[in-house]
Amino acid sequence: MIGIIDYSLGNTGNLVNALKKLGYESVITKDKNVLSSCEAIILPGVGHFGYAMNIINTSGLKDIIVELSKYKQLIGICLGMQLLFEHSEEGNAHGLGILKGSIARIDTDLTIPHLGWNTLTSNYQSLNGKDVYFIHSYKVSASEYTIAETDYNSNIPAIVKKENITGIQFHPEKSGETGLFILKNALDGSF
Amino acid sequence: MIKKRIIACLDVKDGAVVKGVNFIDLEHIGRPAEMAKRYNQEGADELVFLDISKTQEGHELMLDVIRDTARELFIPLTIGGGIRTTEDIKQLLDAGADKISINSAAIENPGIIRGASRRFGSQCIVLAVDVKYDNQVEDYYVYTHGGTKKTEIKALDWIAEGEAAGAGELLITSMDHDGVKSGFDTQFLKQAANLVNIPVIASGGAGSINHFVDLFQNTNVSAGLAASIFHREEVNIGDLKQELLENGIEVRL
């Protein structure tokens, strides 16, 4: 069972569809006991960092997520990935602080959002050269956690990993067969 | 570097995909969920689902049809047609939409773009603009209600306003070109894409592979959208992408 953290932001339906395609049952919940019984947890999310953290803080989810991140396979997707870090310019808000680093607006002359299919570069053969679907205007700072990045005038961390924690900036549930493959690898911790 | 996108459009009426010429004379083509599955396999980069009669008929959102369409679709899905409130948007996102396209409602209530992009994020709000050239004034104007009502708003002004209000993307349909298969309106699209700093999806006029090559070589748009030529396989998406690559235009294969 995969636990999808419910904080009312993001179209979790598509994540459920993708998980089902991969053969996983899933549950959308904010209940700590349910989440801690799951084999892996996903923090989804689209939208505004400050707004999202406000919901996470006021609903008491922050302590739950931080606690579970110590021993549970945890995957943050898109905004959910950014929330794992310490701070964002978007709403000038503090994040969960599970990973070290901060979020800043993408600095480019190109169109914003960074929207569409872009190519991963990675030392992992299974990721390198693959096209995945991005849609975001802010990016995570460069760090030792980055295992795949993409180029949009500057390097954008696309997948970060630290032990049991994985962050995916693009939408694996919307990146065709490649995305499903990456989601599966993140879930079973095989990166 | 980011790839140019090829988007298949499902114009849906009464639960079926239809296609007309210049927005009228509709013909049934298939079921949305089946066609979505097909495009997912054929290599379309995105799918747009437009409920083409909702603005005028005002019926309920086709949530069941949209849920069915999203179930086996692992590429982005944009839903449009008659969306009026942020509550509509919430329901559609919950049903499986990744992005929401707003057209007529934005003209009647410009605040909806600002409100929706604040609540759900700019990245999921697409401003759809139907434009038509006025020979007398020699300028492009915005039309609403499925292209049936002319407004007095100049298209380029409206596009700039939409960006400022927080739209994350523009879907521009050239009504003079729609269904005619004579090529995209590259003249207008070039101006539009240079004016704004958000991605532009070009729609209306695609009839052949060369029209897409022409579009991407002569404008800075991010994506080209078509419907019937893909539905009837007059243009195969795989062949189209191959040809774009051979012309130095980067696409996802």
Side-chain angles (χ1 to χ4, degrees):
Chain A
M1 181 69 71
I2 308 297
I4 300 171
I5 299 171
D6 177 18
Y7 66 109
S8 311
L9 266 190
N11 40 355
T12 46
N14 288 329
L15 200 49
V16 172
N17 289 338
L19 291 169
K20 195 176 283 172
K21 185 79 178 176
L22 288 170
Y24 292 101
E25 292 292 314
S26 58
V27 56
I28 302 170
T29 179
K30 56 180 77 167
D31 186 298
K32 187 183 178 183
N33 292 330
V34 176
L35 287 170
S36 53
S37 71
C38 291
E39 56 191 286
I41 298 165
I42 297 178
L43 180 61
V46 293
H48 190 272
F49 189 102
Y51 185 71
M53 275 314 298
N54 194 26
I55 296 177
I56 287 174
N57 285 327
T58 53
S59 63
L61 268 169
K62 183 177 177 181
D63 290 345
I64 296 174
I65 300 168
V66 170
E67 175 65 25
L68 291 170
S69 75
K70 290 172 185 162
Y71 56 91
K72 196 60 81 176
Q73 201 71 28
L74 172 66
I75 302 160
I77 296 176
C78 198
L79 178 63
M81 167 208 198
Q82 299 187 356
L83 296 172
L84 300 174
F85 288 82
E86 293 166 302
H87 183 267
S88 175
E89 272 180 21
E90 190 182 25
N92 187 25
H94 288 288
L96 293 164
I98 294 169
L99 296 177
K100 283 201 182 344
S102 59
I103 318 299
R105 195 166 165 87
I106 300 171
D107 184 21
T108 178
D109 295 334
L110 302 172
T111 54
I112 293 283
H114 170 226
L115 187 165
W117 299 79
N118 210 339
T119 311
L120 298 177
T121 43
S122 174
N123 290 329
Y124 291 69
Q125 281 305 312
S126 59
L127 299 175
N128 193 40
K130 294 287 193 324
D131 286 337
V132 291
Y133 184 79
F134 289 87
I135 181 162
H136 62 122
S137 303
Y138 290 79
K139 69 167 187 174
V140 172
S141 52
S143 74
E144 59 194 303
Y145 309 136
T146 306
I147 63 166
E149 56 188 15
T150 195
D151 172 33
Y152 197 60
N153 264 7
S154 63
N155 288 334
I156 294 177
I159 306 178
V160 296
K161 178 154 177 68
K162 187 196 172 200
E163 294 154 11
N164 54 316
I165 297 156
T166 309
I168 304 176
Q169 178 62 72
F170 53 88
H171 282 278
E173 78 281 18
K174 287 284 152 181
S175 296
E177 292 294 328
T178 299
L180 294 177
F181 169 82
I182 291 171
L183 186 57
K184 184 164 189 0
N185 277 275
L187 285 166
D188 59 26
S190 56
F191 277 135
Chain B
M1 194 37 70
I2 199 124
K3 307 296 194 288
K4 297 293 183 182
R5 287 171 285 150
I6 300 300
I7 302 178
C9 179
L10 307 179
D11 292 317
V12 181
K13 188 173 192 290
D14 304 326
V17 179
V18 295
K19 185 57 194 174
V21 174
N22 287 336
F23 283 65
I24 50 172
D25 293 336
L26 303 169
E27 176 197 338
H28 280 234
I29 290 182
R31 282 188 48 236
E34 285 165 11
M35 297 189 68
K37 208 171 166 183
R38 187 187 120 192
Y39 284 119
N40 193 57
Q41 286 160 355
E42 273 182 24
D45 295 314
E46 284 187 48
L47 202 66
V48 170
F49 176 122
L50 295 178
D51 183 345
I52 60 166
S53 63
K54 185 174 184 311
T55 299
Q56 290 166 83
E57 293 175 1
H59 52 249
E60 296 293 303
L61 298 164
M62 292 184 196
L63 295 175
D64 288 340
V65 182
I66 290 162
R67 269 184 214 108
D68 266 357
T69 305
R71 192 160 292 137
E72 293 268 324
L73 187 70
F74 303 108
I75 55 174
L77 173 65
T78 300
I79 305 283
I83 293 156
R84 317 215 73 84
T85 64
T86 49
E87 193 43 45
D88 287 346
I89 296 172
K90 171 99 179 63
Q91 287 189 48
L92 290 167
L93 291 174
D94 287 345
D98 298 289
K99 296 187 271 191
I100 302 297
S101 162
I102 301 174
N103 189 331
S104 304
I107 297 278
E108 287 156 19
N109 169 22
I112 190 173
I113 297 288
R114 197 172 293 278
S117 64
R118 272 210 194 128
R119 177 161 171 199
F120 305 104
S122 283
Q123 81 292 329
C124 71
I125 304 300
V126 182
L127 177 64
V129 187
D130 294 337
V131 305
K132 194 167 162 47
Y133 190 68
D134 185 324
N135 285 314
Q136 287 178 332
V137 195
E138 296 184 343
D139 208 341
Y140 290 86
Y141 281 84
V142 177
Y143 278 65
T144 64
H145 295 78
T148 59
K149 285 189 188 170
K150 189 186 177 198
T151 71
E152 292 308 313
I153 303 169
K154 286 188 180 175
L156 287 174
D157 292 348
W158 181 236
I159 284 165
E161 221 173 288
E163 180 187 27
E169 200 170 12
L170 291 165
L171 166 55
I172 299 177
T173 300
S174 312
M175 292 174 54
D176 298 309
H177 292 240
D178 195 56
V180 186
K181 300 186 184 176
S182 58
F184 290 95
D185 186 351
T186 51
Q187 195 193 334
F188 180 75
L189 291 162
K190 186 177 177 174
Q191 292 179 61
N194 289 343
L195 179 69
V196 295
N197 195 37
I198 52 178
V200 170
I201 302 167
S203 158
S208 70
I209 286 179
N210 280 339
H211 291 152
F212 286 91
V213 175
D214 187 43
L215 173 73
F216 292 125
Q217 283 181 340
N218 293 302
T219 76
N220 287 324
V221 303
S222 301
L225 174 149
S228 66
I229 58 161
F230 294 151
H231 300 336
R232 299 204 182 95
E233 291 195 76
E234 290 164 30
V235 170
N236 173 278
I237 291 179
D239 296 345
L240 166 59
K241 288 185 155 184
Q242 202 59 52
E243 187 69 25
L244 288 170
L245 263 190
E246 282 166 21
N247 280 277
I249 297 156
E250 285 203 48
V251 289
R252 172 184 77 115
L253 286 187

